[in-house]
Amino acid sequence: MSDAEAALDVRHVSHSYGPRRALDDVSFTVPQGSFTALLGPNGAGKSTLYSLITRLFNVREGSISVLGHDLNRDPGEALRRLGIVFQARTLDLDLSIRQNLVYHAALHGIPRAEAKQRIGEILKGSDLIDRLGDKARNLSGGQLRRIEIVRAFMHRPRLILLDEPTVGLDIRSRADIVAEVRRLVKEEGVSVLWATHLIDEIDESDRVVVLHHGKVLAEGLVPEIVARESAGSIREAFSRLTGLAGRPVELEMAS
């Protein structure tokens, strides 16, 4: 798959913190229009990889391209095509939901009237459409996360990165958020890289990149990975690839 065909192309990327190797020769692609899950236990290197894709850290070993734009050679064009939802909450709790979204739009040069129209498009049919005047602090954790996802879509990016977006939420809120992102992917025609350690957030139709100890152990559609590992499910395939079966992390993933 060429750079031009991929929403995200990661090639031979490594990164170290002093003597510790956080990523080791990582390569994979996210095809345009796909929902790709970056699956790995805590400490696998997912957040480090996201920090490189968003240029919080410089890429010193290997290359990363977004829709053909290399992050080192053409960072402005690459980042302009990204929407990002970090693990930490980033909404201003003292502003209303509408103000948070309009402010983000302004940072991307979107006029206020166009921003309001865009908010209506994304939230069409959502129960949050009636909460736009509420201060962010009055929403639940799941509702706040859903607004952060809406914000990531405001400037019409072609690739959305979500770093453990459901951490700390209850099962119902997690399911709502996964469903919301899948709906927006279908309606907006964007690509998603969804980092998670929760196997139950993965659908049979998804592409999966298994990351463990900073290395890519498998990449492909769920049925392909399951078949290659002669497993009965993606959970079993993941356990075989990582050797984590029966350990506490597997219990966490099943929670």
Side-chain angles (χ1 to χ4, degrees):
M1 180 176 290
S2 68
D3 285 351
E5 294 171 321
L8 177 68
D9 189 39
V10 178
R11 295 190 181 185
H12 305 296
V13 169
S14 297
H15 190 82
S16 298
Y17 300 103
R20 184 173 72 85
R21 198 76 156 169
L23 296 173
D24 189 1
D25 196 26
V26 169
S27 295
F28 68 91
T29 58
V30 175
Q32 291 192 45
S34 73
F35 186 106
T36 299
L38 181 64
L39 176 64
N42 294 328
K46 302 188 297 295
S47 291
T48 296
L49 179 60
Y50 273 39
S51 294
L52 292 170
I53 298 171
T54 57
R55 281 187 62 83
L56 292 177
F57 301 152
N58 288 327
V59 179
R60 294 190 175 92
E61 297 182 55
S63 66
I64 299 175
S65 296
V66 178
L67 289 156
H69 297 276
D70 185 274
L71 274 173
N72 281 345
R73 294 195 304 267
D74 199 4
E77 286 301 311
L79 293 176
R80 189 169 65 83
R81 288 161 171 79
L82 282 181
I84 306 162
V85 179
F86 287 111
Q87 190 174 140
R89 301 290 192 268
T90 56
L91 291 175
D92 188 325
L93 297 180
D94 291 319
L95 296 181
S96 71
I97 298 306
R98 182 182 289 105
Q99 288 170 328
N100 269 283
L101 296 176
V102 169
Y103 176 70
H104 177 80
L107 293 177
H108 287 272
I110 301 173
R112 186 179 183 87
E114 183 181 340
K116 289 184 175 180
Q117 178 181 349
R118 181 69 175 143
I119 292 168
E121 291 172 357
I122 301 173
L123 286 177
K124 183 179 180 181
S126 168
D127 59 325
L128 291 174
I129 196 73
D130 297 324
R131 303 292 302 273
L132 290 173
D134 292 3
K135 284 191 174 182
R137 67 172 64 258
N138 295 328
L139 270 63
S140 69
Q143 290 170 330
L144 288 173
R145 184 56 93 192
R146 288 168 63 195
I147 291 299
E148 287 181 323
I149 290 168
V150 169
R151 183 179 61 182
F153 278 83
M154 282 293 292
H155 61 288
R156 292 184 170 85
R158 305 317 305 153
L159 172 64
I160 305 288
L161 307 178
L162 300 103
D163 186 8
E164 299 275 6
T166 63
V167 164
L169 300 179
D170 58 59
I171 293 175
R172 175 62 184 273
S173 295
R174 284 174 44 210
D176 287 346
I177 286 169
V178 175
E180 185 87 351
V181 172
R182 291 186 185 280
R183 177 184 70 82
L184 288 169
V185 167
K186 183 177 180 180
E187 292 179 0
E188 299 278 329
V190 302
S191 310
V192 159
L193 183 61
W194 175 285
T196 185
H197 65 278
L198 299 164
I199 288 178
D200 59 0
E201 293 179 351
I202 296 172
D203 187 79
E204 283 291 309
S205 63
D206 293 340
R207 286 180 58 82
V208 175
V209 178
V210 177
L211 187 68
H212 187 49
H213 292 321
K215 294 178 179 289
V216 172
L217 303 184
E219 176 187 4
L221 294 171
V222 167
E224 295 171 348
I225 294 175
V226 170
R228 284 201 296 266
E229 295 304 313
S230 300
S233 65
I234 187 62
R235 184 182 299 278
E236 183 182 348
F238 178 83
S239 297
R240 292 185 179 187
L241 285 162
T242 61
L244 290 173
R247 298 186 184 182
V249 68
E250 181 66 12
L251 296 176
E252 180 184 11
M253 292 170 67
S255 64

